[in-house]
Structure formats: structure tokens, C-alpha cells
Short mmCIF file of all heavy atoms in Angstrom, two decimals:
data_model
loop_
_atom_site.label_atom_id
_atom_site.label_comp_id
_atom_site.label_asym_id
_atom_site.label_seq_id
_atom_site.Cartn_x
_atom_site.Cartn_y
_atom_site.Cartn_z
N THR A 1 71.66 129.15 109.38
CA THR A 1 70.31 128.76 109.79
C THR A 1 70.24 127.81 110.96
O THR A 1 69.18 127.37 111.37
CB THR A 1 69.52 128.20 108.59
OG1 THR A 1 70.18 127.03 108.10
CG2 THR A 1 69.36 129.23 107.49
N GLY A 2 71.42 127.44 111.46
CA GLY A 2 71.48 126.58 112.60
C GLY A 2 71.26 125.12 112.29
O GLY A 2 71.05 124.28 113.20
N LYS A 3 71.29 124.73 111.02
CA LYS A 3 71.06 123.36 110.65
C LYS A 3 72.42 122.66 110.54
O LYS A 3 72.93 122.37 109.45
CB LYS A 3 70.29 123.28 109.33
CG LYS A 3 69.93 121.87 108.93
CD LYS A 3 69.05 121.78 107.70
CE LYS A 3 68.82 120.34 107.26
NZ LYS A 3 68.16 119.51 108.31
N THR A 4 72.99 122.34 111.67
CA THR A 4 74.28 121.70 111.71
C THR A 4 74.18 120.22 112.10
O THR A 4 75.19 119.60 112.44
CB THR A 4 75.25 122.42 112.68
OG1 THR A 4 74.67 122.49 113.97
CG2 THR A 4 75.58 123.79 112.18
N ASP A 5 72.95 119.67 112.05
CA ASP A 5 72.77 118.25 112.28
C ASP A 5 72.77 117.44 111.00
O ASP A 5 72.51 116.25 111.04
CB ASP A 5 71.46 118.00 113.05
CG ASP A 5 70.22 118.51 112.29
OD1 ASP A 5 70.37 119.27 111.29
OD2 ASP A 5 69.08 118.10 112.65
N VAL A 6 73.00 118.12 109.88
CA VAL A 6 73.13 117.39 108.61
C VAL A 6 74.37 116.48 108.63
O VAL A 6 75.42 116.87 109.11
CB VAL A 6 73.24 118.36 107.40
CG1 VAL A 6 73.33 117.59 106.10
CG2 VAL A 6 72.11 119.35 107.40
N ARG A 7 74.16 115.26 108.14
CA ARG A 7 75.28 114.31 108.06
C ARG A 7 76.01 114.66 106.78
O ARG A 7 75.50 114.57 105.68
CB ARG A 7 74.80 112.87 108.05
CG ARG A 7 75.93 111.85 108.05
CD ARG A 7 75.34 110.45 108.26
NE ARG A 7 76.43 109.46 108.35
CZ ARG A 7 76.68 108.53 107.45
NH1 ARG A 7 75.96 108.44 106.33
NH2 ARG A 7 77.68 107.68 107.64
N LEU A 8 77.32 115.01 106.89
CA LEU A 8 78.14 115.37 105.77
C LEU A 8 78.99 114.15 105.36
O LEU A 8 79.75 113.62 106.21
CB LEU A 8 79.07 116.54 106.10
CG LEU A 8 78.46 117.80 106.67
CD1 LEU A 8 79.53 118.86 106.91
CD2 LEU A 8 77.37 118.36 105.76
N ARG A 9 78.86 113.74 104.14
CA ARG A 9 79.68 112.65 103.60
C ARG A 9 80.44 113.17 102.40
O ARG A 9 79.89 113.86 101.54
CB ARG A 9 78.81 111.47 103.22
CG ARG A 9 78.20 110.71 104.37
CD ARG A 9 77.34 109.56 103.87
NE ARG A 9 78.11 108.67 102.98
CZ ARG A 9 77.74 108.33 101.78
NH1 ARG A 9 76.60 108.79 101.28
NH2 ARG A 9 78.49 107.54 101.03
N TYR A 10 81.72 112.82 102.33
CA TYR A 10 82.60 113.29 101.25
C TYR A 10 83.28 112.13 100.57
O TYR A 10 83.72 111.15 101.23
CB TYR A 10 83.69 114.21 101.79
CG TYR A 10 83.26 115.50 102.35
CD1 TYR A 10 82.80 115.66 103.65
CD2 TYR A 10 83.25 116.68 101.54
CE1 TYR A 10 82.36 116.85 104.15
CE2 TYR A 10 82.87 117.89 102.05
CZ TYR A 10 82.41 117.98 103.34
OH TYR A 10 82.00 119.18 103.83
N THR A 11 83.40 112.25 99.26
CA THR A 11 84.44 111.48 98.56
C THR A 11 85.36 112.52 97.94
O THR A 11 84.90 113.37 97.14
CB THR A 11 83.84 110.57 97.46
OG1 THR A 11 83.15 109.50 98.07
CG2 THR A 11 84.94 110.05 96.56
N THR A 12 86.59 112.53 98.36
CA THR A 12 87.50 113.58 97.95
C THR A 12 88.86 113.00 97.63
O THR A 12 89.24 111.94 98.14
CB THR A 12 87.69 114.59 99.14
OG1 THR A 12 88.79 115.46 98.89
CG2 THR A 12 87.94 113.90 100.45
N ASN A 13 89.58 113.67 96.75
CA ASN A 13 90.95 113.20 96.51
C ASN A 13 91.93 113.60 97.59
O ASN A 13 93.08 113.24 97.57
CB ASN A 13 91.45 113.70 95.13
CG ASN A 13 91.50 115.26 95.00
OD1 ASN A 13 91.83 115.98 95.93
ND2 ASN A 13 91.21 115.72 93.80
N PHE A 14 91.42 114.38 98.57
CA PHE A 14 92.11 114.69 99.81
C PHE A 14 93.40 115.47 99.58
O PHE A 14 94.29 115.49 100.39
CB PHE A 14 92.45 113.37 100.55
CG PHE A 14 92.67 113.53 102.03
CD1 PHE A 14 91.64 114.09 102.79
CD2 PHE A 14 93.81 113.14 102.64
CE1 PHE A 14 91.86 114.29 104.18
CE2 PHE A 14 94.01 113.28 104.04
CZ PHE A 14 93.04 113.85 104.78
N SER A 15 93.41 116.26 98.51
CA SER A 15 94.63 117.03 98.19
C SER A 15 94.62 118.42 98.82
O SER A 15 95.69 119.00 99.05
CB SER A 15 94.77 117.14 96.68
OG SER A 15 93.66 117.82 96.11
N ASN A 16 93.41 118.97 99.06
CA ASN A 16 93.28 120.32 99.50
C ASN A 16 92.33 120.47 100.71
O ASN A 16 91.17 120.16 100.57
CB ASN A 16 92.74 121.26 98.38
CG ASN A 16 93.75 121.49 97.30
OD1 ASN A 16 94.69 122.27 97.43
ND2 ASN A 16 93.53 120.76 96.16
N LEU A 17 92.87 120.96 101.80
CA LEU A 17 92.02 121.30 102.96
C LEU A 17 91.74 122.81 103.02
O LEU A 17 91.03 123.25 103.93
CB LEU A 17 92.68 120.85 104.27
CG LEU A 17 92.93 119.32 104.40
CD1 LEU A 17 93.49 119.00 105.75
CD2 LEU A 17 91.67 118.50 104.12
N ARG A 18 92.25 123.56 102.06
CA ARG A 18 92.01 124.99 101.96
C ARG A 18 91.64 125.38 100.58
O ARG A 18 92.18 124.86 99.61
CB ARG A 18 93.26 125.75 102.41
CG ARG A 18 93.51 125.68 103.91
CD ARG A 18 94.92 126.09 104.34
NE ARG A 18 95.02 125.95 105.80
CZ ARG A 18 95.27 124.77 106.38
NH1 ARG A 18 95.44 123.66 105.66
NH2 ARG A 18 95.35 124.70 107.69
N PHE A 19 90.68 126.30 100.48
CA PHE A 19 90.17 126.77 99.19
C PHE A 19 89.95 128.26 99.29
O PHE A 19 89.17 128.73 100.13
CB PHE A 19 88.86 126.08 98.85
CG PHE A 19 88.21 126.56 97.57
CD1 PHE A 19 88.82 126.43 96.36
CD2 PHE A 19 86.94 127.17 97.64
CE1 PHE A 19 88.19 126.88 95.21
CE2 PHE A 19 86.35 127.64 96.49
CZ PHE A 19 86.97 127.50 95.28
N LYS A 20 90.70 129.04 98.48
CA LYS A 20 90.67 130.48 98.56
C LYS A 20 91.04 130.89 99.96
O LYS A 20 92.11 130.56 100.48
CB LYS A 20 89.30 131.02 98.09
CG LYS A 20 89.03 130.71 96.61
CD LYS A 20 87.71 131.23 96.15
CE LYS A 20 87.48 130.86 94.67
NZ LYS A 20 86.16 131.37 94.12
N LYS A 21 90.14 131.58 100.73
CA LYS A 21 90.48 131.97 102.07
C LYS A 21 89.80 131.08 103.11
O LYS A 21 89.76 131.36 104.27
CB LYS A 21 90.12 133.44 102.31
CG LYS A 21 90.92 134.42 101.49
CD LYS A 21 90.55 135.87 101.83
CE LYS A 21 91.37 136.82 101.00
NZ LYS A 21 91.00 138.24 101.30
N LYS A 22 89.21 129.96 102.64
CA LYS A 22 88.40 129.09 103.50
C LYS A 22 89.23 127.85 103.88
O LYS A 22 90.03 127.34 103.10
CB LYS A 22 87.16 128.67 102.80
CG LYS A 22 86.27 129.78 102.32
CD LYS A 22 85.06 129.30 101.60
CE LYS A 22 84.19 130.43 101.04
NZ LYS A 22 83.55 131.20 102.14
N SER A 23 89.01 127.37 105.08
CA SER A 23 89.61 126.17 105.59
C SER A 23 88.48 125.19 105.92
O SER A 23 87.61 125.50 106.74
CB SER A 23 90.43 126.43 106.86
OG SER A 23 90.72 125.19 107.52
N ILE A 24 88.46 124.05 105.28
CA ILE A 24 87.43 123.07 105.55
C ILE A 24 87.46 122.58 106.99
O ILE A 24 86.50 122.17 107.58
CB ILE A 24 87.45 121.90 104.55
CG1 ILE A 24 86.20 121.02 104.66
CG2 ILE A 24 88.75 121.04 104.73
CD1 ILE A 24 84.92 121.76 104.42
N ILE A 25 88.68 122.60 107.58
CA ILE A 25 88.83 122.22 108.97
C ILE A 25 87.95 123.10 109.84
O ILE A 25 87.26 122.59 110.76
CB ILE A 25 90.28 122.33 109.42
CG1 ILE A 25 91.19 121.33 108.62
CG2 ILE A 25 90.42 122.13 110.93
CD1 ILE A 25 90.96 119.89 108.94
N ASP A 26 87.93 124.39 109.60
CA ASP A 26 87.06 125.31 110.39
C ASP A 26 85.59 124.98 110.20
O ASP A 26 84.80 125.06 111.16
CB ASP A 26 87.33 126.75 109.99
CG ASP A 26 88.74 127.24 110.37
OD1 ASP A 26 89.33 126.61 111.28
OD2 ASP A 26 89.24 128.18 109.74
N TYR A 27 85.16 124.66 109.00
CA TYR A 27 83.79 124.27 108.76
C TYR A 27 83.43 122.99 109.47
O TYR A 27 82.35 122.91 110.11
CB TYR A 27 83.53 124.10 107.26
CG TYR A 27 83.29 125.38 106.51
CD1 TYR A 27 84.40 126.11 106.02
CD2 TYR A 27 82.00 125.86 106.29
CE1 TYR A 27 84.21 127.33 105.33
CE2 TYR A 27 81.82 127.05 105.57
CZ TYR A 27 82.88 127.75 105.11
OH TYR A 27 82.69 128.95 104.42
N TRP A 28 84.29 122.01 109.45
CA TRP A 28 84.01 120.74 110.07
C TRP A 28 83.85 120.84 111.56
O TRP A 28 83.22 120.01 112.19
CB TRP A 28 85.07 119.74 109.67
CG TRP A 28 84.98 119.23 108.25
CD1 TRP A 28 83.88 119.37 107.43
CD2 TRP A 28 85.98 118.57 107.48
NE1 TRP A 28 84.15 118.80 106.22
CE2 TRP A 28 85.42 118.35 106.21
CE3 TRP A 28 87.28 118.18 107.74
CZ2 TRP A 28 86.12 117.70 105.19
CZ3 TRP A 28 88.02 117.52 106.73
CH2 TRP A 28 87.42 117.32 105.45
N LYS A 29 84.40 121.85 112.16
CA LYS A 29 84.27 122.06 113.61
C LYS A 29 82.84 122.38 113.97
O LYS A 29 82.48 122.22 115.15
CB LYS A 29 85.24 123.14 114.10
CG LYS A 29 86.67 122.77 114.02
CD LYS A 29 87.59 123.93 114.43
CE LYS A 29 89.06 123.57 114.37
NZ LYS A 29 89.95 124.70 114.66
N SER A 30 82.02 122.85 113.03
CA SER A 30 80.61 123.22 113.30
C SER A 30 79.65 122.07 113.12
O SER A 30 78.50 122.18 113.50
CB SER A 30 80.20 124.38 112.38
OG SER A 30 81.00 125.57 112.59
N PHE A 31 80.06 120.98 112.49
CA PHE A 31 79.21 119.82 112.25
C PHE A 31 79.75 118.64 113.05
O PHE A 31 80.93 118.44 113.19
CB PHE A 31 79.14 119.48 110.79
CG PHE A 31 78.51 120.55 109.94
CD1 PHE A 31 79.26 121.64 109.49
CD2 PHE A 31 77.16 120.50 109.61
CE1 PHE A 31 78.69 122.64 108.69
CE2 PHE A 31 76.58 121.49 108.81
CZ PHE A 31 77.33 122.54 108.35
N GLN A 32 78.82 117.78 113.55
CA GLN A 32 79.21 116.69 114.40
C GLN A 32 79.32 115.36 113.67
O GLN A 32 80.06 114.50 114.09
CB GLN A 32 78.22 116.55 115.62
CG GLN A 32 78.28 117.75 116.54
CD GLN A 32 79.67 118.01 117.04
OE1 GLN A 32 80.36 117.13 117.61
NE2 GLN A 32 80.16 119.25 116.91
N ASP A 33 78.52 115.19 112.63
CA ASP A 33 78.46 113.88 111.94
C ASP A 33 79.06 114.00 110.54
O ASP A 33 78.38 114.44 109.59
CB ASP A 33 77.01 113.41 111.84
CG ASP A 33 76.86 111.95 111.47
OD1 ASP A 33 77.92 111.33 111.09
OD2 ASP A 33 75.77 111.39 111.54
N ILE A 34 80.35 113.69 110.45
CA ILE A 34 81.08 113.90 109.19
C ILE A 34 81.86 112.61 108.84
O ILE A 34 82.47 112.04 109.69
CB ILE A 34 82.07 115.06 109.32
CG1 ILE A 34 81.35 116.33 109.80
CG2 ILE A 34 82.77 115.33 107.97
CD1 ILE A 34 82.29 117.41 110.22
N GLN A 35 81.75 112.26 107.60
CA GLN A 35 82.52 111.12 107.08
C GLN A 35 83.32 111.56 105.87
O GLN A 35 82.77 112.04 104.87
CB GLN A 35 81.62 109.96 106.71
CG GLN A 35 82.36 108.77 106.11
CD GLN A 35 81.43 107.63 105.76
OE1 GLN A 35 80.76 107.05 106.64
NE2 GLN A 35 81.37 107.26 104.45
N VAL A 36 84.59 111.38 105.96
CA VAL A 36 85.48 111.72 104.84
C VAL A 36 86.03 110.46 104.24
O VAL A 36 86.74 109.74 104.89
CB VAL A 36 86.66 112.64 105.31
CG1 VAL A 36 87.63 112.87 104.14
CG2 VAL A 36 86.12 113.97 105.81
N SER A 37 85.65 110.20 103.05
CA SER A 37 86.14 109.05 102.27
C SER A 37 87.23 109.53 101.30
O SER A 37 86.94 110.21 100.33
CB SER A 37 85.02 108.37 101.54
OG SER A 37 84.00 107.93 102.41
N ALA A 38 88.47 109.15 101.57
CA ALA A 38 89.57 109.58 100.77
C ALA A 38 89.86 108.60 99.66
O ALA A 38 90.09 107.41 99.89
CB ALA A 38 90.80 109.78 101.65
N SER A 39 89.81 109.08 98.42
CA SER A 39 90.02 108.27 97.27
C SER A 39 91.55 108.09 97.06
O SER A 39 92.18 108.67 96.20
CB SER A 39 89.43 108.89 96.01
OG SER A 39 88.02 109.00 96.13
N LEU A 40 92.10 107.24 97.91
CA LEU A 40 93.54 106.95 97.88
C LEU A 40 93.68 105.48 97.54
O LEU A 40 93.31 104.63 98.38
CB LEU A 40 94.18 107.33 99.21
CG LEU A 40 93.99 108.78 99.66
CD1 LEU A 40 94.56 108.98 101.05
CD2 LEU A 40 94.61 109.75 98.66
N ASP A 41 94.26 105.18 96.43
CA ASP A 41 94.38 103.82 95.94
C ASP A 41 95.71 103.19 96.27
O ASP A 41 95.82 101.98 96.44
CB ASP A 41 94.17 103.75 94.44
CG ASP A 41 92.93 104.40 93.96
OD1 ASP A 41 91.92 104.28 94.68
OD2 ASP A 41 92.90 104.96 92.85
#
């Protein structure tokens, strides 16, 4: 729908950048405002 101005914020264990046949890296290339918070203690 062309709504790629949404601010994406994540809290993730940061273990997987791929899910099934999808790569989150490819998705993130379409959005400009992204924050990844890695739950690494």
C-alpha cells in the first residue's frame, strides 16, 4: 500500500534474520526509520 513511512521498532533476541524463505534484511531495505533493540545481556 506504499505505507513505508511507519517507524519500525523491534525488541528481538537477534538470533534469526531469516524466517522460512523471507529475509528481514530485504524488508528493512524498504523502510527508512527502523530501530532494532537487541536483547543481549
Side-chain angles (χ1 to χ4, degrees):
T1 58
K3 186 175 174 58
T4 55
D5 60 344
V6 182
R7 184 172 185 249
L8 307 181
R9 291 179 55 234
Y10 293 85
T11 289
T12 168
N13 61 38
F14 203 58
S15 62
N16 289 283
L17 299 184
R18 288 164 181 81
F19 175 64
K20 298 180 179 180
K21 296 182 179 180
K22 302 177 185 293
S23 166
I24 191 58
I25 296 291
D26 293 338
Y27 279 86
W28 286 343
K29 291 175 180 177
S30 298
F31 295 85
Q32 293 305 307
D33 194 351
I34 306 168
Q35 176 180 299
V36 174
S37 300
S39 298
L40 304 175
D41 306 325

